[in-house]
Amino acid sequence: LAKTTQPISMDSYEGQEVNITCSHNNIATNDYITWYQQFPSQGPRFIIQGYKTKVTNEVASLFIPADRKSSTLSLPRVSLSDTAVYYCLVGGANTGGFKTIFGAGTRLFVKA
Amino acid sequence: NAGVTQTPKFQVLKTGQSMTLQCAQDMNHEYMSWYRQDPGMGLRLIHYSVGAGITDQGEVPNGYNVSRSTTEDFPLRLLSAAPSQTSVYFCASSFRGVSDTQYFGPGTRLTVL
């Protein structure tokens, strides 16, 4: 399974764009990159998933360079309610993908 | 759809007691898993199942048993509770595996005295 490395914490202000980068140097050809968000006392919630280049949904964008050794979750114009822990996961069905390994995540704190 | 449900929400046990945490999903997902999350930490995989009758160990399986007799249910059994098992337990399901969106339950907060 590809190991992921993320910053432990980040601070931001309301209205700013926040970019959280995840390193996954050992990503395999069949691996997908998935990001989850977790609020206190709740289970993680899916944000976005991608394989290459750029993926955008109503919540976030995910940028993946050509070598796929890293990825960046972009949250546009964050609000106080975006304060949460964000997890980057890498895996796929052909690379032990049934075992999901969550790292420590990135704790984002949005200030007014 | 109710999604993923877990019972109970809270539980206090004494050392040595046994109990079963219940997890059910109504999305016809093949893949189900159990995680534990200690304060300030990420989630650690305890056991997972890729379908009825098939289970396997995750990162931290010791002290826990699972079975998967139906697609819908995936109970987690603590055989002899220890204070080190004090944690929040999350159950999750997905259609296939990690490449699919995982849906998490609300969690069970377990305290072992």
Side-chain angles (χ1 to χ4, degrees), chain A residues 24-40:
Chain A
H24 28 79
N25 291 321
N26 296 326
I27 190 169
T29 302
N30 294 324
D31 284 345
Y32 284 81
I33 300 154
T34 312
W35 286 80
Y36 286 83
Q37 174 192 56
Q38 185 181 28
F39 297 114

Side-chain angles (χ1 to χ4, degrees), chain A residues 17-87:
Chain A
E17 179 184 72
V18 170
N19 296 311
I20 305 175
T21 297
C22 179
S23 296
H24 28 79
N25 291 321
N26 296 326
I27 190 169
T29 302
N30 294 324
D31 284 345
Y32 284 81
I33 300 154
T34 312
W35 286 80
Y36 286 83
Q37 174 192 56
Q38 185 181 28
F39 297 114
S41 302
Q42 295 185 24
R45 184 181 70 154
F46 172 87
I47 301 176
I48 197 165
Q49 184 182 72
Y51 182 80
K52 62 180 179 180
T53 63
K54 177 183 174 183
V55 179
T56 297
N57 61 23
E58 64 278 5
V59 176
S61 294
L62 179 59
F63 298 93
I64 305 168
D67 66 6
R68 304 199 326 125
K69 293 185 184 298
S70 66
S71 59
T72 299
L73 174 72
S74 181
L75 304 172
R77 298 181 298 281
V78 294
S79 64
L80 297 177
S81 62
D82 292 316
T83 293
V85 179
Y86 294 82
Y87 296 97

Side-chain angles (χ1 to χ4, degrees), chain B residues 21-61:
Chain B
L21 307 185
Q22 301 292 344
C23 174
Q25 52 91 11
D26 61 357
M27 297 173 281
N28 202 31
H29 285 167
E30 290 296 323
Y31 178 82
M32 295 186 74
S33 55
W34 276 102
Y35 298 86
R36 61 176 287 174
Q37 186 172 36
D38 299 329
M41 307 288 288
L43 284 80
R44 291 186 291 171
L45 182 67
I46 305 172
H47 285 286
Y48 66 96
S49 168
V50 300
I54 307 170
T55 63
D56 204 348
Q57 296 180 348
E59 296 177 86
V60 288

Side-chain angles (χ1 to χ4, degrees), chain B residues 76-87:
Chain B
L76 177 73
R77 296 183 190 85
L78 279 70
L79 307 173
S80 178
S84 61
Q85 293 179 304
T86 293
S87 189

Side-chain angles (χ1 to χ4, degrees), chain B:
Chain B
N1 285 353
V4 179
T5 57
Q6 292 183 237
T7 56
K9 284 189 168 58
F10 300 94
Q11 184 69 50
V12 178
L13 292 177
K14 294 181 180 177
T15 297
Q17 287 185 315
S18 64
M19 79 159 296
T20 299
L21 307 185
Q22 301 292 344
C23 174
Q25 52 91 11
D26 61 357
M27 297 173 281
N28 202 31
H29 285 167
E30 290 296 323
Y31 178 82
M32 295 186 74
S33 55
W34 276 102
Y35 298 86
R36 61 176 287 174
Q37 186 172 36
D38 299 329
M41 307 288 288
L43 284 80
R44 291 186 291 171
L45 182 67
I46 305 172
H47 285 286
Y48 66 96
S49 168
V50 300
I54 307 170
T55 63
D56 204 348
Q57 296 180 348
E59 296 177 86
V60 288
N62 292 342
Y64 307 94
N65 272 358
V66 292
S67 59
R68 183 98 179 268
S69 56
T70 67
T71 298
E72 294 78 20
D73 301 296
F74 191 44
L76 177 73
R77 296 183 190 85
L78 279 70
L79 307 173
S80 178
S84 61
Q85 293 179 304
T86 293
S87 189
V88 179
Y89 292 83
F90 291 102
C91 177
S93 75
S94 67
F95 181 59
R96 287 177 300 184
V98 74
S99 58
D100 282 332
T101 301
Q102 289 198 67
Y103 296 87
F104 285 81
T108 294
R109 188 174 296 273
L110 175 69
T111 301
V112 182
L113 302 175

